[in-house]
Amino acid sequence: MKILMVCLGNICRSPLAHGILAHLVRENGLDWIVESAGTGDWHIGHAPDRRSVSVAKKYGVDISAQRARHFAQTFFDQYDYIFVMDDKNYRDVLSLARHEADRNKVKMFLLEGIVPDPYFDETQFEPVYQLIADRCQELIDELKSEHYR
């Protein structure tokens, strides 16, 4: 299974989701691939925000080697699930969908609400990490049961 996490710049939220879920995938002995991308193109090639790297490291998750990349239409062919962090990301990704099969791969990361963007508020990195970590654990359980039926 291949999973893509998407946020705006691919430097705060989606790298955290990518790193946390990949960490849990390894801990659970799963052979899934987890990656991330952004709907905006201004951070392509950049490492995740230092504050995301720091909060992830605090919990034993290393995201420092990730590099931002821009969401491309070809990603619909490469991933089974595309999880987006907020409504704008959802609309932006869906605008590139070619057909219903593409649209069906796109899901909101949270079952209710959005993952707030912590970029402009230093105090939000810890709560955003916790929100993403909790959801990633739920995703492991949900996707395992769905995938291995």
Side-chain angles (χ1 to χ4, degrees):
M1 182 175 352
K2 291 187 76 176
I3 301 164
L4 184 70
M5 301 296 187
V6 180
C7 72
L8 183 60
N10 194 209
I11 61 167
C12 293
R13 296 171 290 173
S14 58
L16 284 172
H18 170 175
I20 295 165
L21 188 62
H23 179 81
L24 292 171
V25 161
R26 284 189 301 278
E27 281 187 344
N28 282 271
L30 302 168
D31 62 351
W32 305 351
I33 295 170
V34 183
E35 296 177 334
S36 61
T39 56
D41 63 1
W42 49 90
H43 295 296
I44 294 172
H46 295 183
D49 186 287
R50 64 175 173 71
R51 299 164 296 179
S52 285
V53 172
S54 177
V55 73
K57 185 177 182 182
K58 176 180 173 182
Y59 293 97
V61 177
D62 183 7
I63 64 170
S64 62
Q66 293 182 29
R67 294 297 174 262
R69 59 192 186 139
H70 189 229
F71 185 87
Q73 193 174 57
T74 58
F75 289 177
F76 288 110
D77 299 324
Q78 297 172 32
Y79 297 95
D80 302 300
Y81 294 95
I82 299 170
F83 290 102
V84 298
M85 300 295 139
D86 64 36
D87 297 328
K88 181 164 178 17
N89 305 145
Y90 187 76
R91 288 189 305 272
D92 289 346
V93 169
L94 282 182
S95 74
L96 296 173
R98 301 160 296 193
H99 41 68
E100 193 66 23
D102 286 356
R103 285 187 286 281
N104 289 338
K105 292 181 178 191
V106 183
K107 314 269 186 234
M108 291 293 288
F109 178 73
L110 295 180
L111 297 175
E112 293 182 20
I114 64 164
V115 178
D117 190 344
Y119 186 79
F120 293 107
D121 185 352
E122 186 106 5
T123 67
Q124 290 304 302
F125 281 85
E126 180 77 31
V128 163
Y129 179 92
Q130 292 301 330
L131 184 68
I132 291 172
D134 290 347
R135 180 63 181 135
C136 283
Q137 185 57 62
E138 293 172 359
L139 275 176
I140 288 282
D141 298 337
E142 289 171 18
L143 296 176
K144 270 174 46 177
S145 67
E146 189 174 304
H147 188 69
Y148 296 107
R149 282 184 216 191

